[in-house]
Amino acid sequence: NSPMSLDSHTQWQSPLGLIDVDMELARELGLPFNDEAQRYEHSAEVIVPFIQYFLDGKVKLLTINMLEQNHHNARTLAEQLKAAADKLNRRILLIASSDFTHFKNSKVGYELDSMALEPLLQFDLGEFEHRVRTMHISICGFGPIMTLLAFAKMVDQSAKVDVLKRGHSGEVYPSAEVVDYVSML
């Protein structure tokens, strides 16, 4: 299996309708197609309705799966995305979708997420990965997050990260074990 792959479908459908997949960008990236990698992946599908609602008709979608999440693959993918965007003379919007800490009490989750956020805010991908792995922080999409940050710095050296909101599932449905969320721009 490839460390990164694409979904081969030419369109996605949500309750808001169809959205085209950017097959031109897919061809330019040259990553293999692997529909099986997308089969149980839900991080993109929960974002699609928002993309359709706010950017309907103005964008195409390309989902990238990262089987092997590490800062090396994240930087490599960011470089490939930047090169493809430059070659196609396009601006691309990267969105990384991931839950943060899973199934801990809200206090522990907040503390673990804070440990992960510290290096993210400094664009220190190596330290972010190190903390996720050694502290067993269950951020399922840490590879795409690192890719987004690496890409942002390639596009604009003065890029910064702003935390918009933090929360957890227990705020909606009280529970002893929650899933944490962090919205960043």
Side-chain angles (χ1 to χ4, degrees):
N1 280 345
S2 175
M4 294 170 276
S5 64
L6 305 173
D7 175 39
S8 70
H9 294 89
T10 59
Q11 292 182 316
W12 277 40
Q13 184 174 5
S14 83
L16 298 179
L18 296 171
I19 184 169
D20 290 331
V21 172
D22 192 337
M23 298 307 284
E24 184 179 30
L25 181 59
R27 283 188 296 276
E28 195 59 45
L29 283 174
L31 296 173
F33 292 100
N34 182 349
D35 292 339
E36 195 60 32
Q38 183 65 44
R39 175 176 246 164
Y40 299 108
E41 178 52 51
H42 62 277
S43 60
E45 70 188 38
V46 299
I47 297 298
V48 168
F50 292 101
I51 293 170
Q52 290 175 300
Y53 183 80
F54 290 105
L55 303 172
D56 189 36
K58 298 178 182 137
V59 297
K60 292 182 179 181
L61 172 74
L62 183 63
T63 59
I64 304 170
N65 289 297
M66 293 186 78
L67 181 63
E68 294 177 20
Q69 299 183 79
N70 59 56
H71 68 276
H72 172 74
N73 285 346
R75 288 181 202 279
T76 299
L77 180 56
E79 290 166 359
Q80 290 173 298
L81 286 163
K82 176 80 168 76
D86 288 348
K87 185 172 181 184
L88 295 172
N89 195 29
R90 289 211 209 143
R91 292 177 57 194
I92 59 175
L93 169 68
L94 257 56
I95 299 172
S97 175
S98 175
D99 297 333
F100 269 60
T101 297
H102 294 62
F103 310 119
K104 301 282 185 189
N105 72 52
S106 60
K107 183 176 187 255
V108 170
Y110 188 90
E111 290 169 0
L112 289 171
D113 290 348
S114 294
M115 294 301 295
L117 282 171
E118 188 177 285
L120 276 184
L121 297 173
Q122 302 302 315
F123 288 83
D124 188 341
L125 306 185
E127 181 61 22
F128 172 65
E129 179 184 358
H130 174 75
R131 289 184 185 190
V132 167
R133 291 189 188 284
T134 60
M135 299 177 79
H136 307 286
I137 304 172
S138 54
I139 301 172
C140 49
F142 67 96
I145 293 168
M146 291 187 294
T147 301
L148 187 149
L149 289 176
F151 181 83
K153 279 294 188 183
M154 289 174 195
V155 172
D156 182 358
Q157 278 296 312
S158 65
K160 62 180 184 154
V161 177
D162 289 322
V163 175
L164 303 176
K165 182 140 174 92
R166 292 178 69 171
H168 60 79
S169 58
E171 295 169 350
V172 175
Y173 186 82
S175 178
E177 293 183 339
V178 300
V179 177
D180 288 358
Y181 307 104
V182 180
S183 295
M184 296 180 281
L185 179 64

